[in-house]
Amino acid sequence: MNEPRKQGAGEVDYFACLDLPRRHAIDRAALERRYLELSREVHPDRFAGASSGEQRAAVERASLVNAAYRALRDPVRRAEHLVKLGGIDLDLTDPERGAPDPGKAFLIEMIELREALEEAQGAGAAAVGRLRGAIEARAEETLDAGIDAIDGGEVREAARHLVIHRYLQRFLDEIDGEAH
Amino acid sequence: MSTQGPSIHDTGALFQIAEPEERRAPARAPGRGIGIDLGTTNSLVALAPHGDDPKVLADGEGRALLPSVVSYVGDRVIVGDAAQAQQEEAPGQVVSSVKRFMGRGLSDVDFTHPYHLVAPSQGAGVLRLDVGAEGEPHLVTPVEVSAEILRVLRLRAEDALGGPIDGAVITVPAYFDDAQRQATRDAGRIAGLNVYRLLAEPTAAALAYGLDRGGQGLFAVYDLGGGTFDVSVLRLHDGVFQVLATGGDSALGGDDLDRALAAHLLGRAGFDETRPPTRHQRELARIAARAAKEALSEQGEVRVSVAACGIDDLAVTRATFEELIEPLVQRTIRACRAALRDAGVRARELDGVVLVGGSTRVPRVRAAVEETFGRPPLTDIDPDKVVAYGAAIQADILSGSAREGVTLLDVVPLSLGIETMGGIVEKLIPRNATIPIAARQVFTNYSEQQTGMQIHVVQGERELASDCRSLARFELRGIPRLPPSMARVEITFQLDADALLTVTARELMTGVRQSVEVKPTYGLSEEEVDRLVMESYDHASDDYAARNLAEARVELGRVALAVRTALAEVGHLTAILPAEERASIEAALVSADALMREASEAEAVNAARVEIERRSEPFARRRMERALLAGMEGKSLHEIESVLAAEEEHLDERRGGHSAEVIDG
């Protein structure tokens, strides 16, 4: 028996789910309002007196609404979802439908960043803080570039930026993790 | 843990299609839902029928808090104050703070306790407590001990409602993981309860507070229970209680404050590693420490004596106590900050902070909460009862009462993941995700020979599976023999509104549901729970019926005795009792005697009583008239009327007036 290996699952349009236009710029108030409305309607507690089939269906509907809300309220997950709807799933390794290669230049940049972090850690908390700030700014720029690409309909390009953003975010998490 | 989807019938076939059976909508009984706060130290049951304000139910002696203590001394199981009274003489047979053992493995038990624990035979599995007397092992699981507490609360509620209850909402610490929640649900089932929902304790408290004050805004709930600590950040908005984040420690509570003080007391009494206290001494010191802690909330100094530990009139100041508990208080504060961070909320944005749990009466705890959140906490609802109130409100809603509905959007407190290559955890559902929520994962085969795979589900935030809580292992079987990567199995991990996990699997090529065999790591298996439920069913369905029958017999006996007394005294006077009437009454008495011996249902006994009352009613009336006439000579009309009125009342009370003292032969 082997370890499990992973592949992608079917796509659901979370925007349609919450009656929102399929684009990155989002009306936060509309999102919150619609989410609360739907939650009231579909929450399994509303079906406490229903048959087991209806109850199961309520759990599934509520799960979908919660997943949609979670994905859309966060700008990064929202961008990744749009890319996924465009046919590229960043959680897959498939060369066509999966996360694109971030590129050699970026991998070299990451190696340099790691070296810079080691140096900064030797120099003290202030140096780590400065480096962290710089990486955070770089991550922001990358996300913005990804969103611009989505708005321009360039899914593949958007996906590349979002992959780089993931690397940078993970790096930031590592810095924060070590600081604790 | 259970598989909601496919059930397993080993037919030898590759795939078994076993859709869950469709059950009809359960008939609900509005107003017959109860809320239970199953606490580490104390448990409560509350009712809020048909939209009423919640009320905590007290026992016959007016005590609302049922100590969560179960005694196995002798042949009978005793719960509550009486069990607590036996704790000193038999600490190993009287179980307190059993909540700390719920859903736990032997290696999780890193706190002191006086019990003899028995590890499961094959490493994993549920642990057991040996509560037998010396040389007579008697093993019970924490789930069964909890079920005893729940059963007492159920009976208390049945008494208050005058009949069976429909269902219960049982509260759990928000920070409880799947195994702990499942254990709680199992305990409910074994206690004969239809568990509507498990509700997070801070959410229940918010429900009690929120409904009170119009329900808008951002709130934090700081809940320091006997053995658990939770903090939740919620947004209340138009009847929706949205938990934004929750945090805590399911192994830190008021008990730990007691233990810190107990260790200090024992230290001052000269105990150390070279001269350790016995379990018994440790337990006595803990009990004394709890009393001292409570006293120190009111006064600056307390004097403690524990003869068995050589502690004699030892002075403890509040300052000393505060110093001892400071590390524990700081642990709770760190969790508060983390919850605020996860919720993306700053302390000053909050509209209120709610305190829950008896240990929030400790002044240092209050002060620390006030410092952290920058405002005095809300304490106007009794912190011991507020969770039960919230549970009762939710139970009333779920029973189908016409109460203005609220929607509780709770979160899963700990990330759910699976173990992958190298023991690394891949997170499927992150902590603080709103429940219910599902995650799907597609797995493929590595070779044509592979017809199954093992999946290990864990819960926690750490990178390595070995550092997280092991929830269960699933074995997927019956994967078709296909070339590598061609067989694709989609597994759905579904967390329901109780944050309980169910797993279903489907082969994508054929769309066939697949068998998933669940082995809970620290829980009882489905079969074990079913067996315990069946065993208790025998009692459970009997419990209420048996008590009803006993009560009906007492009533019948009382009425029959009164009629017989009357017959003996004045039954010979045909002016009062014509012969045919006497025969009819005597016949009813004879059949009542038979029922007293043989009846197995209260209905028949009650019917017999009503029949005697009906047949003897004219006899009773004539007797009363005669008694009145005898006492009336020489009285004024006014006096006669008032005596008559008093007798009428008496008659009503006595259901037919067969009372010996009315007779004036």
Side-chain angles (χ1 to χ4, degrees):
Chain A
M1 232 166 266
N2 281 307
E3 292 287 334
R5 207 203 292 173
K6 192 176 69 174
Q7 282 195 356
E11 265 52 273
V12 187
D13 185 346
Y14 291 148
F15 291 93
C17 216
L18 293 174
D19 300 322
L20 292 166
R22 197 202 270 202
R23 60 157 195 262
H24 195 269
I26 203 167
D27 178 351
R28 272 303 289 249
L31 169 70
E32 296 291 334
R33 199 169 50 239
R34 189 67 189 128
Y35 171 63
L36 293 181
E37 266 170 28
L38 280 174
S39 293
R40 268 195 292 264
E41 274 172 36
V42 305
H43 196 276
D45 284 354
R46 292 286 303 267
F47 300 85
S51 72
S52 61
E54 283 175 279
Q55 288 185 9
R56 229 174 14 249
V59 169
E60 280 170 21
R61 275 201 307 279
S63 297
L64 184 61
V65 169
N66 284 331
Y69 175 67
R70 205 182 109 73
L72 297 195
R73 100 187 131 160
D74 177 79
V76 179
R77 281 195 285 269
R78 193 160 68 235
E80 291 184 355
H81 183 61
L82 281 164
V83 164
K84 192 172 181 179
L85 292 173
I88 298 177
D89 184 346
L90 298 190
D91 292 324
L92 299 184
T93 48
D94 184 287
E96 285 305 308
R97 296 181 299 112
D101 189 331
K104 204 172 199 160
F106 176 70
L107 293 177
I108 290 168
E109 189 188 335
M110 279 302 291
I111 292 167
E112 285 168 358
L113 280 176
R114 290 207 176 273
E115 285 167 3
L117 176 62
E118 263 173 47
E119 233 168 78
Q121 280 166 337
V128 174
R130 274 195 300 280
L131 180 69
R132 195 194 180 288
I135 298 169
E136 200 165 18
R138 169 93 168 82
E140 285 290 313
E141 281 166 29
T142 309
L143 178 59
D144 287 343
I147 293 165
D148 286 345
I150 290 169
D151 291 343
E154 299 162 46
V155 175
R156 185 129 218 108
E157 179 63 8
R160 206 179 57 79
H161 286 299
L162 293 177
V163 164
I164 291 174
H165 183 269
R166 278 194 172 185
Y167 274 96
L168 294 169
Q169 188 56 54
R170 203 171 307 141
F171 193 54
L172 286 169
D173 290 345
E174 278 170 33
I175 295 176
D176 295 344
E178 277 164 28
H180 280 187
Chain B
M1 194 142 329
S2 60
T3 54
Q4 186 184 22
S7 57
I8 300 150
H9 309 286
D10 202 354
T11 58
L14 276 182
F15 292 99
Q16 299 96 37
I17 306 167
E19 286 293 327
E21 200 181 312
E22 180 77 4
R23 276 179 291 108
R24 271 180 301 123
R28 289 190 296 174
R32 306 192 80 86
I34 64 170
I36 293 179
D37 175 1
L38 181 61
T40 308
T41 317
N42 293 300
S43 297
L44 298 94
V45 59
L47 280 177
H50 307 293
D52 285 357
D53 286 341
K55 271 193 294 292
V56 167
L57 303 178
D59 66 4
E61 289 167 56
R63 292 173 299 206
L65 268 56
L66 176 72
S68 302
V69 182
V70 181
S71 165
Y72 291 89
V73 177
D75 325 328
R76 278 188 55 220
V77 177
I78 301 171
V79 179
D81 291 285
Q84 203 160 35
Q86 296 182 322
Q87 208 162 10
E88 284 195 20
E89 56 180 87
Q93 288 185 267
V94 180
V95 185
S96 60
S97 296
V98 70
K99 193 172 177 177
R100 289 189 162 228
F101 295 96
M102 291 288 271
R104 295 295 184 158
L106 201 57
S107 58
D108 301 315
V109 180
D110 53 3
F111 46 90
T112 59
H113 61 82
Y115 311 112
H116 177 53
L117 299 185
V118 180
S121 46
Q122 310 125 325
V126 67
L127 63 79
R128 288 174 158 76
L129 285 74
D130 183 356
V131 294
E134 202 61 41
E136 294 170 48
H138 176 188
L139 300 186
V140 291
T141 62
V143 171
E144 290 164 271
V145 179
S146 297
E148 297 292 352
I149 299 166
L150 291 171
R151 190 171 290 137
V152 170
L153 295 174
R154 194 197 83 209
L155 295 177
R156 192 182 285 186
E158 284 177 348
D159 271 340
L161 284 168
I165 60 164
D166 184 56
V169 169
I170 305 177
T171 60
V172 290
Y175 216 61
F176 255 21
D177 64 29
D178 178 90
Q180 294 168 303
R181 286 169 193 248
Q182 189 64 58
T184 306
R185 200 175 237 285
D186 291 344
R189 278 181 63 201
I190 293 165
L193 290 166
N194 164 28
V195 183
Y196 289 145
R197 268 289 297 274
L198 299 177
L199 181 59
E201 286 159 10
T203 309
L207 186 56
Y209 265 97
L211 291 180
D212 234 28
R213 15 188 104 227
Q216 301 289 333
L218 275 170
F219 291 86
V221 181
Y222 178 101
D223 178 359
L224 187 59
T228 58
F229 170 68
D230 285 331
V231 55
S232 286
V233 181
L234 297 101
R235 187 172 64 162
L236 275 60
H237 190 73
D238 293 339
V240 181
F241 286 64
Q242 184 184 12
V243 179
L244 299 177
T246 198
D249 191 329
S250 62
L252 168 64
D255 277 11
D256 295 289
L257 307 185
D258 305 344
R259 287 192 174 92
L261 182 54
H264 169 80
L265 293 174
L266 289 168
R268 278 174 65 186
F271 291 99
D272 57 22
E273 270 127 62
T274 58
R275 187 178 152 249
T278 63
R279 271 185 186 176
H280 190 57
Q281 285 171 322
R282 204 188 289 278
E283 191 64 12
L284 294 178
R286 195 184 60 77
I287 292 165
R290 179 187 295 179
K293 172 188 75 175
E294 284 166 9
L296 285 171
S297 291
E298 306 297 326
Q299 62 210 55
E301 190 182 298
V302 69
R303 307 193 80 86
V304 183
S305 298
V306 188
C309 304
I311 297 170
D312 181 28
D313 203 30
L314 207 63
V316 182
T317 63
R318 186 187 283 178
T320 305
F321 175 62
E322 291 185 347
E323 206 174 299
L324 290 168
I325 64 170
E326 192 56 22
L328 301 171
V329 173
Q330 285 309 317
R331 262 167 76 188
T332 69
I333 295 305
R334 276 199 293 280
C336 290
R337 297 211 177 98
L340 283 172
R341 199 165 50 237
D342 283 351
V345 169
R346 269 174 241 169
R348 65 166 179 274
E349 294 176 84
L350 294 171
D351 295 295
V353 180
V354 172
L355 289 186
V356 184
S359 287
T360 59
R361 292 201 177 90
V362 172
R364 175 66 198 124
V365 170
R366 259 176 210 210
V369 173
E370 185 165 345
E371 280 161 35
T372 308
F373 294 100
R375 75 191 61 236
L378 302 169
T379 53
D380 35 326
I381 304 185
D382 184 341
D384 282 325
K385 294 179 181 166
V386 61
V387 167
Y389 288 157
I393 292 168
Q394 176 72 351
D396 188 42
I397 294 169
L398 295 178
S399 78
S401 273
R403 178 191 271 274
E404 197 172 335
V406 293
T407 306
L408 303 180
L409 300 178
D410 228 311
V411 298
V412 57
L414 295 155
S415 302
L416 194 84
I418 49 172
E419 182 173 348
T420 62
M421 296 276 211
I424 305 286
V425 176
E426 176 169 350
K427 283 183 187 166
L428 294 177
I429 297 174
R431 75 163 187 275
N432 289 323
T434 306
I435 48 176
I437 195 150
R440 287 181 185 80
Q441 195 78 294
V442 177
F443 298 95
T444 66
N445 59 341
Y446 273 81
S447 78
E448 216 169 315
Q449 264 61 52
Q450 187 186 11
T451 56
M453 58 178 79
Q454 266 216 330
I455 292 158
H456 183 203
V457 185
V458 297
Q459 198 167 17
E461 308 313 314
R462 305 284 293 278
E463 295 277 315
L464 290 176
S466 54
D467 293 331
C468 291
R469 295 273 303 149
S470 171
L471 292 188
R473 288 173 197 275
F474 299 99
E475 196 177 316
L476 255 183
R477 286 181 307 193
I479 297 172
R481 289 184 186 278
L482 289 168
S485 299
M486 289 300 287
R488 296 168 69 228
V489 180
E490 182 189 73
I491 302 186
T492 302
F493 300 85
Q494 175 74 61
L495 286 175
D496 65 13
D498 292 340
L500 289 177
L501 175 71
T502 56
V503 177
T504 49
R506 197 161 56 101
E507 208 288 316
L508 290 177
M509 291 248 286
T510 54
V512 174
R513 278 190 183 257
Q514 232 178 337
S515 72
V516 182
E517 197 164 353
V518 186
K519 258 189 121 69
T521 311
Y522 297 112
L524 294 166
S525 69
E526 276 290 286
E527 297 80 54
E528 283 173 295
V529 176
D530 285 344
R531 182 178 58 74
L532 288 166
V533 170
M534 290 314 288
E535 279 175 16
S536 73
Y537 252 178
D538 297 339
H539 310 288
S541 50
D542 282 352
D543 279 349
Y544 190 73
R547 280 182 324 135
N548 265 345
L549 178 61
E551 281 167 18
R553 279 191 177 155
V554 170
E555 279 291 287
L556 175 60
R558 192 181 62 73
V559 171
L561 178 66
V563 174
R564 285 210 161 97
T565 309
L567 283 175
E569 291 178 8
V570 293
H572 58 283
L573 304 174
T574 48
I576 297 176
L577 187 61
E580 67 273 24
E581 227 178 277
R582 179 175 185 139
S584 156
I585 292 172
E586 277 173 347
L589 285 170
V590 169
S591 63
D593 284 346
L595 273 169
M596 285 291 267
R597 286 190 306 269
E598 295 149 16
S600 58
E601 279 181 355
E603 283 76 23
V605 179
N606 283 329
R609 191 199 70 229
V610 170
E611 190 56 24
I612 296 175
E613 284 172 345
R614 194 182 64 77
R615 292 188 190 185
S616 63
E617 206 274 324
F619 174 44
R621 186 154 287 279
R622 275 179 234 118
R623 254 166 37 239
M624 201 186 73
E625 284 161 7
R626 183 168 166 271
L628 279 173
L629 282 172
M632 244 182 261
E633 281 161 44
K635 298 241 167 86
S636 73
L637 186 63
H638 177 72
E639 279 173 317
I640 293 171
E641 274 176 350
S642 64
V643 170
L644 214 61
E647 287 294 345
E648 285 281 338
E649 242 167 60
H650 205 98
L651 187 72
D652 285 348
E653 258 172 43
R654 293 286 174 168
R655 302 195 209 203
H658 298 291
S659 180
E661 63 265 21
V662 188
I663 297 161
D664 182 5

